[in-house]
Amino acid sequence: MKTKSPIILVAALILLLQACAVKKPTENKHKTNLDLAAVKIKLQNKNTYTFEKEQVFFSNNFPSARLNQLVKVNDSTFNITIEAENRPINPSAWFAFKVWGKPQKNVYINLSYPSDRHRYQPKISTNGQQWQTLAEVKVNKEKNVASFKLQLQKDTLTVAAQEIISSGQSYQWMNQLAKNYSLNKTTIGYSIGGKPIIALNSTKSDGKKIVVVLSRQHPPEISGYMAMERFVETLLGNSKLAKNFIKNYELVIVPMVNPDGVDEGNWRHSFGGVDLNRDWEFFKQPETRAVRDYLLNKISKQNAKVEFALDFHSTYNDVMYVNDDRSDTNRPGLMNVWIASLHQFEGAVKTPVKPSGNGGNTSKAWFGRVLNAEAVTYEVGDNTPRDFLNEKAVRCADILMAELLK
């Protein structure tokens, strides 16, 4: 038998080692089709942080992560710097990271905000589905450092400002929704980062009367997104009211307007470095243009009218921003009756209503000014109990359908 040459053996060994080598996580994997000229923010360095001696490991290499810098203080204490994507920006200091290591080891975390303040009470999860709010968090007087203890477990811990719902998770929900309720699913455009902007629409009406639902223009606003899901599922549901609604109204949903910002863990902005809900006058961003063009084209082709538009957001506490009352909308008085019925359901603690004018550059203003729709920005509180959030979203949908069908 002929012996292989040493050169061949060495070459084979090199190929084998290359194939088995552990690859360093690539930075910003979502740069496929990325329009670099349009990116106006500083993207994170996505990485896995390894502390072998201390048996502790961290990562921000996943969608919706936000960890800008990590420094070891001692064998169990770590400082994590959290910074915004660009400035000026709202005080929505989002953070998200994963940590794992020796089970039962106590790890002490200091979240540091060099130019901002701590806002969100940290939540932890081992599966991305069930989340628990950390009760013991110490925030310093200046509110720019938040400190807490974690006990490592067998499973990786995800720590985040709110529950994580990435664009990928949202796309999965859209696919299931389209399948369950026979919806059309249309890619109406692409984000700066090359992610699809998806619109869903029902198909059982004549398409002359439309209700529009938007969400996730601002990445951290999870409670608003959750309410949107329950609201939409109720409108599409199997109740007699919902079936009658879908026969008479076309429902149009754009659940994820800012997928880049969501997956980058941005506090507020798109890859363009702007607040998309301040781009509804001049439409400089591809995401808002996609929604505008799709809706205007649909309205023109179907000779339709938008009677109601609802854009879901989140803030510190529940509040509804409405346009000034008008008698010449496509459904005059609908907003007032809808809110009055919601207040009746809420009892003593009612969601505040704040008129904010029909001008300006928000989606609500554009829906009213250009499409003559009754429109509202529904801000769901960061800490609104999730059970009540769902209950209220269902009630909002039921009240709306009952009023529209009168």
Side-chain angles (χ1 to χ4, degrees), residues 212 214 280 283 295-296 299 306-311 321-331 335 357-377:
V212 178
L214 305 180
W280 286 80
F283 295 93
L295 290 173
L296 291 179
I299 290 166
V306 175
E307 292 197 5
F308 186 82
L310 200 163
D311 187 4
Y321 292 104
V322 300
N323 292 324
D324 291 337
D325 195 23
R326 290 168 45 195
S327 61
D328 61 341
T329 65
N330 295 331
R331 190 66 181 241
M335 185 63 61
N358 298 341
N361 48 11
T362 66
S363 65
K364 169 188 66 66
W366 182 81
F367 278 112
R369 183 177 64 247
V370 177
L371 302 186
N372 291 319
E374 297 278 296
V376 60
T377 300

Side-chain angles (χ1 to χ4, degrees), residues 114-135:
S115 305
D116 298 277
R117 294 178 135 201
H118 181 71
R119 170 171 173 177
Y120 300 103
Q121 193 80 352
K123 291 179 170 59
I124 61 171
S125 176
T126 57
N127 60 11
Q129 302 298 318
Q130 285 77 40
W131 293 83
Q132 177 183 355
T133 301
L134 284 178

Side-chain angles (χ1 to χ4, degrees), residues 334-346 350 399:
L334 172 63
M335 185 63 61
N336 292 335
V337 175
W338 181 65
I339 289 175
S341 297
L342 175 62
H343 282 172
Q344 187 176 7
F345 158 74
E346 290 179 314
K350 295 175 172 57
I399 292 170

Side-chain angles (χ1 to χ4, degrees), residues 62-65 94-96 98 123 125 127-131 158-174 195 215-230 233 255-266 312 314 386 389-390:
F62 61 95
S64 295
W94 174 269
F95 56 88
K98 293 184 178 182
K123 291 179 170 59
S125 176
N127 60 11
Q129 302 298 318
Q130 285 77 40
W131 293 83
T158 300
V159 183
Q162 294 277 48
E163 300 93 332
I164 290 176
I165 303 177
S166 67
S167 72
Q169 291 170 286
S170 183
Y171 293 142
Q172 289 178 358
W173 177 77
M174 295 181 214
K195 291 185 168 65
S215 185
R216 218 66 191 278
Q217 293 202 68
H218 299 148
E221 299 183 5
I222 296 294
S223 58
Y225 180 88
M226 290 176 166
M228 180 278 299
E229 286 190 335
R230 299 292 84 75
E233 289 167 355
M256 182 68 60
V257 180
N258 186 4
D260 293 340
V262 166
D263 286 350
E264 183 63 19
N266 285 357
F312 282 91
S314 303
R386 294 339 188 200
L389 177 155
N390 290 329

